[in-house]
Amino acid sequence: MVELKTDREIDEMRAAGRVVGRALAAVREAARVGMTLLDLDRVARGVLSEEGATSPFLGYRPRFAPVPFPGVVCASVNDAIVHGIPDGYRLRDGDLVSIDCGAKLRGWVGDAAVSFTVGRARPADLRLIETSEAALAAGIAAAVPGNRIGDIAHAVGTVCRAAGYGVPDGFGGHGIGRAMHEDPGVPNEGPPGRGMKLRPGMVLAIEPMLIAGGTDDYRCDGDGWTLRTVDGSRAAHSEHTVAITTGGPRILTAP
Protein backbone atom coordinates (compact mmCIF):
# COMPACT_ATOMS: atom_id res chain seq x y z
CA MET A 1 0.00 0.00 0.00
CA VAL A 2 1.27 3.46 -0.92
CA GLU A 3 1.00 6.11 1.77
CA LEU A 4 0.56 9.65 0.46
CA LYS A 5 2.31 12.28 2.54
CA THR A 6 0.91 15.71 3.40
CA ASP A 7 2.87 18.89 2.70
CA ARG A 8 3.79 19.08 6.40
CA GLU A 9 4.99 15.49 6.39
CA ILE A 10 7.09 16.13 3.30
CA ASP A 11 8.67 19.06 5.14
CA GLU A 12 9.48 16.67 7.99
CA MET A 13 11.05 14.29 5.49
CA ARG A 14 13.08 17.18 4.11
CA ALA A 15 14.56 17.68 7.58
CA ALA A 16 15.66 14.03 7.63
CA GLY A 17 16.91 14.40 4.06
CA ARG A 18 19.09 17.37 4.97
CA VAL A 19 20.85 15.20 7.54
CA VAL A 20 21.55 12.59 4.85
CA GLY A 21 22.83 15.25 2.48
CA ARG A 22 25.12 16.67 5.14
CA ALA A 23 26.44 13.21 6.08
CA LEU A 24 27.25 12.35 2.46
CA ALA A 25 28.96 15.70 1.93
CA ALA A 26 31.05 15.18 5.07
CA VAL A 27 32.08 11.68 4.03
CA ARG A 28 33.01 12.82 0.54
CA GLU A 29 35.07 15.71 1.89
CA ALA A 30 36.86 13.47 4.41
CA ALA A 31 37.66 10.61 2.01
CA ARG A 32 41.32 10.39 1.05
CA VAL A 33 43.96 7.82 0.30
CA GLY A 34 44.83 5.81 3.43
CA MET A 35 41.49 6.23 5.19
CA THR A 36 39.54 3.07 5.98
CA LEU A 37 35.90 2.49 5.19
CA LEU A 38 35.31 2.33 8.94
CA ASP A 39 36.75 5.87 9.15
CA LEU A 40 34.14 7.02 6.64
CA ASP A 41 31.41 5.28 8.61
CA ARG A 42 32.56 7.13 11.74
CA VAL A 43 32.30 10.45 9.90
CA ALA A 44 28.69 9.71 8.99
CA ARG A 45 27.91 8.53 12.53
CA GLY A 46 29.20 11.84 13.84
CA VAL A 47 26.86 13.83 11.61
CA LEU A 48 23.84 11.72 12.57
CA SER A 49 24.67 12.14 16.26
CA GLU A 50 25.09 15.91 15.95
CA GLU A 51 21.72 16.18 14.24
CA GLY A 52 19.90 13.95 16.74
CA ALA A 53 19.15 11.41 14.01
CA THR A 54 19.43 7.63 13.98
CA SER A 55 20.43 5.25 11.19
CA PRO A 56 17.86 3.07 9.40
CA PHE A 57 20.81 1.04 8.06
CA LEU A 58 22.39 0.07 11.38
CA GLY A 59 21.00 -3.27 12.52
CA TYR A 60 18.79 -3.62 9.42
CA ARG A 61 18.28 -7.27 8.52
CA PRO A 62 16.06 -8.19 5.57
CA ARG A 63 15.25 -11.82 4.92
CA PHE A 64 18.18 -12.38 2.58
CA ALA A 65 20.81 -11.16 5.06
CA PRO A 66 22.68 -13.62 7.29
CA VAL A 67 23.55 -10.88 9.79
CA PRO A 68 22.22 -7.39 10.63
CA PHE A 69 23.96 -4.58 8.74
CA PRO A 70 26.77 -3.26 10.98
CA GLY A 71 27.25 0.28 9.65
CA VAL A 72 25.40 3.55 9.11
CA VAL A 73 26.63 3.73 5.51
CA CYS A 74 27.00 1.22 2.73
CA ALA A 75 30.55 1.67 1.42
CA SER A 76 31.09 0.01 -1.97
CA VAL A 77 34.50 0.28 -3.66
CA ASN A 78 35.41 -0.29 -7.32
CA ASP A 79 33.66 -3.52 -8.45
CA ALA A 80 31.24 -3.42 -5.49
CA ILE A 81 27.87 -2.18 -6.75
CA VAL A 82 25.89 -1.67 -3.53
CA HIS A 83 25.54 -2.81 0.09
CA GLY A 84 29.27 -2.84 0.85
CA ILE A 85 29.99 -3.27 4.56
CA PRO A 86 32.35 -0.62 5.97
CA ASP A 87 35.48 -2.40 7.16
CA GLY A 88 39.23 -1.93 7.50
CA TYR A 89 39.90 -1.60 3.76
CA ARG A 90 42.20 1.40 3.20
CA LEU A 91 41.38 3.63 0.26
CA ARG A 92 43.91 3.60 -2.55
CA ASP A 93 44.80 6.13 -5.22
CA GLY A 94 42.18 5.96 -7.97
CA ASP A 95 39.52 4.05 -6.04
CA LEU A 96 35.89 4.58 -7.04
CA VAL A 97 33.76 4.81 -3.91
CA SER A 98 29.95 4.67 -3.62
CA ILE A 99 28.45 5.72 -0.29
CA ASP A 100 24.78 5.09 0.52
CA CYS A 101 23.43 6.70 3.69
CA GLY A 102 20.12 7.04 5.50
CA ALA A 103 18.83 9.03 8.45
CA LYS A 104 15.73 8.80 10.60
CA LEU A 105 14.61 12.01 12.29
CA ARG A 106 11.38 12.52 14.21
CA GLY A 107 9.95 9.35 12.69
CA TRP A 108 10.76 10.09 9.04
CA VAL A 109 13.48 8.62 6.83
CA GLY A 110 15.76 10.02 4.15
CA ASP A 111 17.98 7.91 1.86
CA ALA A 112 20.57 8.96 -0.73
CA ALA A 113 23.82 7.82 -2.34
CA VAL A 114 26.79 9.38 -4.08
CA SER A 115 29.79 8.02 -6.01
CA PHE A 116 33.20 9.70 -6.21
CA THR A 117 36.86 8.94 -6.78
CA VAL A 118 39.81 9.19 -4.39
CA GLY A 119 43.16 10.54 -5.55
CA ARG A 120 43.86 10.50 -9.28
CA ALA A 121 40.66 9.64 -11.10
CA ARG A 122 40.43 7.43 -14.15
CA PRO A 123 38.58 9.18 -17.00
CA ALA A 124 36.42 6.08 -17.44
CA ASP A 125 35.36 6.26 -13.79
CA LEU A 126 34.43 9.93 -14.10
CA ARG A 127 32.28 9.13 -17.14
CA LEU A 128 30.60 6.29 -15.25
CA ILE A 129 29.82 8.55 -12.28
CA GLU A 130 28.59 11.37 -14.51
CA THR A 131 26.27 8.96 -16.29
CA SER A 132 24.86 7.67 -13.01
CA GLU A 133 24.12 11.26 -12.01
CA ALA A 134 22.57 11.99 -15.41
CA ALA A 135 20.38 8.88 -15.10
CA LEU A 136 19.27 10.03 -11.65
CA ALA A 137 18.46 13.50 -13.00
CA ALA A 138 16.42 11.96 -15.83
CA GLY A 139 14.49 9.79 -13.37
CA ILE A 140 13.78 12.78 -11.14
CA ALA A 141 12.59 14.84 -14.12
CA ALA A 142 10.05 12.10 -14.90
CA ALA A 143 8.73 12.08 -11.32
CA VAL A 144 5.72 14.31 -11.94
CA PRO A 145 2.00 13.83 -11.29
CA GLY A 146 0.26 11.97 -14.10
CA ASN A 147 3.34 10.03 -15.16
CA ARG A 148 3.80 6.42 -14.13
CA ILE A 149 6.50 4.44 -12.38
CA GLY A 150 7.46 3.05 -15.78
CA ASP A 151 8.25 6.56 -17.00
CA ILE A 152 10.88 6.93 -14.25
CA ALA A 153 12.27 3.47 -15.02
CA HIS A 154 12.43 4.21 -18.75
CA ALA A 155 14.15 7.56 -18.20
CA VAL A 156 16.81 6.02 -15.97
CA GLY A 157 17.40 2.97 -18.15
CA THR A 158 17.60 4.96 -21.38
CA VAL A 159 20.51 7.04 -20.07
CA CYS A 160 22.34 3.97 -18.75
CA ARG A 161 21.94 1.88 -21.89
CA ALA A 162 22.78 4.73 -24.27
CA ALA A 163 26.16 4.99 -22.54
CA GLY A 164 26.75 1.25 -22.88
CA TYR A 165 26.48 0.40 -19.19
CA GLY A 166 24.82 -2.53 -17.47
CA VAL A 167 21.93 -2.25 -15.01
CA PRO A 168 21.93 -4.83 -12.18
CA ASP A 169 18.97 -7.09 -12.78
CA GLY A 170 16.21 -6.82 -10.18
CA PHE A 171 17.56 -3.83 -8.26
CA GLY A 172 16.12 -0.32 -8.15
CA GLY A 173 14.50 2.31 -5.99
CA HIS A 174 11.56 2.24 -3.63
CA GLY A 175 8.95 4.19 -1.79
CA ILE A 176 10.08 5.76 1.47
CA GLY A 177 8.51 7.49 4.45
CA ARG A 178 8.27 6.29 8.03
CA ALA A 179 10.12 3.16 6.89
CA MET A 180 13.16 3.01 4.66
CA HIS A 181 11.51 0.66 2.18
CA GLU A 182 7.86 1.20 1.30
CA ASP A 183 5.71 0.61 -1.76
CA PRO A 184 6.06 1.07 -4.67
CA GLY A 185 9.20 -0.43 -6.16
CA VAL A 186 10.95 1.81 -8.72
CA PRO A 187 12.83 -0.21 -11.37
CA ASN A 188 15.87 1.20 -13.13
CA GLU A 189 14.66 0.04 -16.53
CA GLY A 190 11.36 -0.70 -18.24
CA PRO A 191 8.74 0.45 -20.76
CA PRO A 192 7.22 3.92 -20.31
CA GLY A 193 3.56 4.48 -19.58
CA ARG A 194 3.24 1.42 -17.35
CA GLY A 195 2.88 0.84 -13.65
CA MET A 196 1.37 2.90 -10.86
CA LYS A 197 0.34 6.45 -11.67
CA LEU A 198 2.32 9.11 -9.81
CA ARG A 199 0.30 11.27 -7.44
CA PRO A 200 1.17 14.29 -5.29
CA GLY A 201 2.26 13.08 -1.87
CA MET A 202 4.16 10.02 -3.10
CA VAL A 203 7.80 9.96 -1.99
CA LEU A 204 10.31 7.78 -3.82
CA ALA A 205 13.97 6.90 -3.51
CA ILE A 206 15.27 6.87 -7.09
CA GLU A 207 18.65 5.12 -7.38
CA PRO A 208 20.40 4.19 -10.61
CA MET A 209 23.15 1.56 -10.32
CA LEU A 210 25.49 1.20 -13.29
CA ILE A 211 27.99 -1.52 -14.26
CA ALA A 212 30.82 -0.28 -16.47
CA GLY A 213 31.33 -3.59 -18.30
CA GLY A 214 27.83 -3.54 -19.79
CA THR A 215 26.62 -6.77 -18.21
CA ASP A 216 23.64 -6.91 -15.85
CA ASP A 217 25.05 -9.79 -13.82
CA TYR A 218 26.27 -9.54 -10.25
CA ARG A 219 27.36 -11.84 -7.45
CA CYS A 220 27.09 -11.63 -3.68
CA ASP A 221 30.12 -11.76 -1.38
CA GLY A 222 30.36 -14.27 1.41
CA ASP A 223 29.27 -11.55 3.86
CA GLY A 224 25.76 -11.92 2.44
CA TRP A 225 25.50 -8.20 1.69
CA THR A 226 28.02 -6.85 -0.81
CA LEU A 227 26.99 -7.13 -4.46
CA ARG A 228 29.83 -7.16 -6.99
CA THR A 229 30.12 -7.11 -10.74
CA VAL A 230 30.75 -10.56 -12.21
CA ASP A 231 33.21 -9.26 -14.79
CA GLY A 232 35.24 -7.23 -12.28
CA SER A 233 34.36 -3.92 -13.92
CA ARG A 234 33.59 -0.89 -11.80
CA ALA A 235 30.19 0.31 -10.67
CA ALA A 236 28.55 3.57 -9.63
CA HIS A 237 25.43 4.39 -7.60
CA SER A 238 23.51 7.67 -7.29
CA GLU A 239 20.34 8.25 -5.28
CA HIS A 240 17.99 10.93 -3.96
CA THR A 241 14.74 10.85 -2.01
CA VAL A 242 12.18 12.73 -4.13
CA ALA A 243 8.66 13.92 -3.36
CA ILE A 244 6.00 14.08 -6.08
CA THR A 245 4.31 17.49 -5.83
CA THR A 246 1.99 19.61 -7.94
CA GLY A 247 4.91 21.99 -8.44
CA GLY A 248 7.19 19.23 -9.77
CA PRO A 249 9.67 16.86 -8.17
CA ARG A 250 11.12 18.02 -4.84
CA ILE A 251 14.52 16.59 -3.92
CA LEU A 252 14.51 15.99 -0.17
CA THR A 253 18.10 14.81 0.27
CA ALA A 254 19.98 17.68 -1.36
CA PRO A 255 22.76 19.00 0.92
Side-chain angles (χ1 to χ4, degrees):
M1 183 177 72
V2 175
E3 177 189 353
L4 299 180
K5 282 73 173 177
T6 66
D7 290 345
R8 181 188 63 78
E9 289 171 336
I10 290 173
D11 287 342
E12 290 286 338
M13 291 193 69
R14 172 59 176 145
R18 281 195 186 96
V19 177
V20 176
R22 186 184 164 210
L24 287 174
V27 168
R28 183 171 188 167
E29 183 177 356
R32 61 183 181 275
V33 173
M35 289 191 76
T36 70
L37 300 183
L38 282 171
D39 291 331
L40 300 185
D41 189 72
R42 281 190 282 269
V43 170
R45 286 176 190 253
V47 173
L48 296 183
S49 178
E50 290 170 8
E51 297 285 354
T54 58
S55 171
F57 289 15
L58 185 63
Y60 179 61
R61 188 179 183 183
R63 284 180 293 179
F64 68 78
V67 295
F69 195 79
V72 304
V73 300
C74 295
S76 306
V77 181
N78 296 333
D79 64 332
I81 306 167
V82 287
H83 302 164
I85 293 177
D87 58 16
Y89 175 85
R90 291 191 179 276
L91 295 175
R92 302 170 183 172
D93 188 42
D95 275 347
L96 193 166
V97 184
S98 297
I99 301 292
D100 192 353
C101 184
K104 189 167 189 176
L105 185 67
R106 296 190 290 273
W108 296 99
V109 179
D111 184 12
V114 63
S115 292
F116 55 87
T117 57
V118 176
R120 292 168 292 182
R122 302 180 183 183
D125 288 346
L126 295 179
R127 178 175 175 265
L128 179 66
I129 293 169
E130 288 169 1
T131 305
S132 75
E133 293 171 346
L136 175 58
I140 292 172
V144 296
N147 271 0
R148 294 183 179 272
I149 291 291
D151 295 310
I152 296 176
H154 181 72
V156 169
T158 296
V159 173
C160 298
R161 296 300 188 186
Y165 297 130
V167 179
D169 186 39
F171 281 83
H174 49 88
I176 185 170
R178 293 196 179 275
M180 181 165 58
H181 293 120
E182 298 183 352
D183 291 333
V186 186
N188 282 330
E189 189 172 33
R194 302 229 185 135
M196 182 178 293
K197 183 173 286 190
L198 304 180
R199 293 174 288 167
M202 292 175 67
V203 182
L204 308 173
I206 302 172
E207 50 178 325
M209 305 163 198
L210 283 65
I211 297 175
T215 177
D216 299 348
D217 298 329
Y218 58 87
R219 62 179 177 85
C220 187
D221 274 1
D223 61 22
W225 279 99
T226 308
L227 300 185
R228 294 188 185 276
T229 63
V230 169
D231 61 4
S233 65
R234 295 192 167 191
H237 178 204
S238 296
E239 178 183 16
H240 270 308
T241 296
V242 181
I244 313 297
T245 79
T246 55
R250 182 182 178 188
I251 300 173
L252 303 183
T253 43

